[in-house]
Amino acid sequence: MKWLRISTALTGIAACSFMLAQVAPHAREAGALLSAQDDPAALSELKLDALLRQNDRLVQDNIEAALAAGDADLADSFVALARDRNIALPDDLLNRVSDAVKEENSTRHFAKQFATGLVTGNADDVASLSGTVAGDLFVIGDIRDVVREGKRLAMGEDTDHLVLGLATAGLAVTAVTYVSVGGAAPVRAGLTLVKDARKVGRLGEGLAAWAGRSAREVVDTPMLQNAVAKGSVFRPGETASAIKAAFRAEKAGALVRLGKDVTRVAEKTGTRGAMDTLRIAEGPKDVARAARLAEAQGGKTRAIMKLLGRGALLLVGGMFDLALWLFGAALTLFGLLSSIKAATERLTQAWCDRRRARRLRRAQAAAEAALADGALTA
């Protein structure tokens, strides 16, 4: 029975050791992810490590897909990621990416996209954003948007309150930009990007809902309706002044912070990177995290967000699974230590029992010898 108990403890040690060897890598990874959940740069690095281990052609396949979609900027972002991760890429693929980037940055392409952004107010890359921001700085774009959405509001038609609020806020920020000689230009560009993302359907539902509520708060609707009724695109100065009067600057703090964060992303990743962020963000905190990620990862950010989505910014789901790995490792470790303790105690007890039995046998043998000597003497 004694040796059965010892065998059971030793079997427990072997079983728990085997289980701990299987669980420990997952628990270590889970612990690292949980500790990095407030650091987008560290979190994305850990998730990339796990993702790239599963597929060594992932980067190359995404470069091919980006080139096929005509997105040279994204392809170049993946090249930067491959370079950082020491992932070898074929020379012909690198040459194709280089040629595509040169074409996208050519003077002819820039001029075309600039004109498109200026006229339509929609931005898709750096050139078109430059045109859009130029139009908004000259108040043309914002007046156009306010007048269009304001008339819909006055007539009881479906109104995009977000575009209306952003355009109204943009007019007020534009005035500050002029007064500060460009000091508020980053906010101006960020608000324009959010507005453009909304127009082309690239604004995430959660962020759109939050921005819509914030935009409603910064607009005095009756005053704006009166300004729109009397305003005209052909009288930009007079119309802009009337619209700005309907803007509640004290309510615009959250929108201004959003504009600044979007601009921080755009400065490091380009316009399309900012658009990607606005598409996956569920709220202003996500955009702030994306700004921190962009400042840490630079040109690789678009590739990272393409691979990880919103998971590049924070732990999306899986918290229970991560906690379960840690709990499983802790439980297995407890089982191992308990088995070691039990085996040690039982082996020690067996050794003590054996020594005690040996002493008893010696004492008994000595007593028997003494009795025998006494009998012989008698």
Side-chain angles (χ1 to χ4, degrees):
M1 185 66 180
K2 175 175 60 178
W3 291 108
L4 178 61
R5 294 178 62 205
I6 293 174
S7 299
T8 302
L10 293 175
T11 302
I13 292 175
C16 289
S17 298
F18 175 78
M19 290 178 63
L20 189 61
Q22 305 302 312
V23 172
H26 297 285
R28 184 168 55 249
E29 183 178 345
L33 288 172
L34 288 172
S35 64
Q37 60 182 315
D38 294 323
D39 185 350
L43 182 64
S44 63
E45 287 287 345
L46 291 170
K47 290 189 174 183
L48 277 176
D49 288 339
L51 190 62
L52 294 176
R53 281 197 302 266
Q54 299 172 9
N55 185 354
D56 55 359
R57 281 187 53 87
L58 187 62
V59 171
Q60 185 172 337
D61 291 342
N62 274 276
I63 293 175
E64 294 282 4
L67 290 175
D71 194 343
D73 181 72
L74 179 58
D76 194 45
S77 180
F78 272 106
V79 170
L81 179 62
R83 191 179 300 117
D84 180 70
R85 294 275 171 161
N86 295 318
I87 299 174
L89 296 173
D91 290 338
D92 65 316
L93 183 61
L94 293 174
N95 292 332
R96 287 165 56 199
V97 173
S98 179
D99 292 341
V101 171
K102 288 179 181 177
E103 170 60 24
E104 194 169 85
N105 294 333
S106 66
T107 303
R108 177 178 60 82
H109 179 84
F110 187 92
K112 178 182 176 182
Q113 293 299 101
F114 181 91
T116 301
L118 179 64
V119 174
T120 66
N122 295 330
D124 186 60
D125 55 15
V126 175
S128 56
L129 176 64
S130 300
T132 303
V133 173
D136 284 351
L137 281 174
F138 287 107
V139 305
I140 298 171
D142 282 332
I143 290 177
R144 175 190 59 221
D145 293 331
V146 172
V147 170
R148 181 181 63 245
E149 298 300 331
K151 287 184 176 179
R152 290 176 179 174
L153 180 64
M155 297 179 66
E157 299 177 356
D158 289 338
T159 306
D160 193 326
H161 290 274
L162 176 53
V163 171
L164 179 62
L166 288 171
T168 306
L171 286 171
V173 172
T174 299
V176 177
T177 302
Y178 283 130
V179 171
S180 63
V181 194
V187 179
R188 166 70 277 174
L191 292 175
T192 296
L193 266 173
V194 177
K195 186 174 64 172
D196 290 338
R198 173 67 169 185
K199 288 180 181 178
V200 297
R202 293 188 183 180
L203 197 62
E205 291 184 5
L207 183 58
W210 174 88
R213 291 191 299 270
S214 300
R216 287 174 184 268
E217 293 178 357
V218 303
V219 176
D220 186 325
T221 302
M223 189 177 292
L224 180 64
Q225 287 176 322
N226 183 57
V228 170
K230 297 179 180 179
S232 171
V233 177
F234 300 104
R235 298 193 303 275
E238 178 184 337
T239 303
S241 297
I243 292 173
K244 281 184 288 185
F247 176 70
R248 298 169 178 167
E250 71 279 3
K251 301 284 188 179
L255 278 179
V256 169
R257 285 192 295 271
L258 175 64
K260 288 181 179 178
D261 287 333
V262 172
T263 303
R264 287 166 60 197
V265 176
E267 286 174 349
K268 297 296 183 180
T269 69
T271 303
R272 290 180 176 177
M275 288 290 192
D276 291 344
T277 299
L278 292 171
R279 179 177 54 81
I280 65 175
E282 290 296 324
K285 290 184 179 180
D286 285 359
V287 180
R289 284 173 172 268
R292 292 168 57 194
L293 176 65
E295 289 172 348
Q297 300 290 5
K300 300 174 292 181
T301 307
R302 280 201 73 197
I304 292 172
M305 289 197 292
K306 175 67 175 177
L307 292 175
L308 302 178
R310 190 164 175 252
L313 308 179
L314 72 168
L315 284 174
V316 182
M319 291 287 289
F320 178 77
D321 292 337
L322 295 177
L324 196 61
W325 281 117
L326 290 175
F327 178 74
L331 194 62
T332 305
L333 180 61
F334 176 77
L336 175 62
L337 294 176
S338 298
S339 298
I340 291 174
K341 177 177 178 294
T344 302
E345 291 175 346
R346 291 168 188 177
L347 285 171
T348 302
Q349 186 64 48
W351 181 74
C352 291
D353 291 345
R354 186 175 180 181
R355 289 193 61 186
R356 188 179 301 110
R358 186 182 302 152
R359 286 198 300 270
L360 288 174
R361 286 197 300 271
R362 287 176 179 174
Q364 185 177 2
E368 290 176 354
L371 288 174
D373 289 341
L376 291 174
T377 302

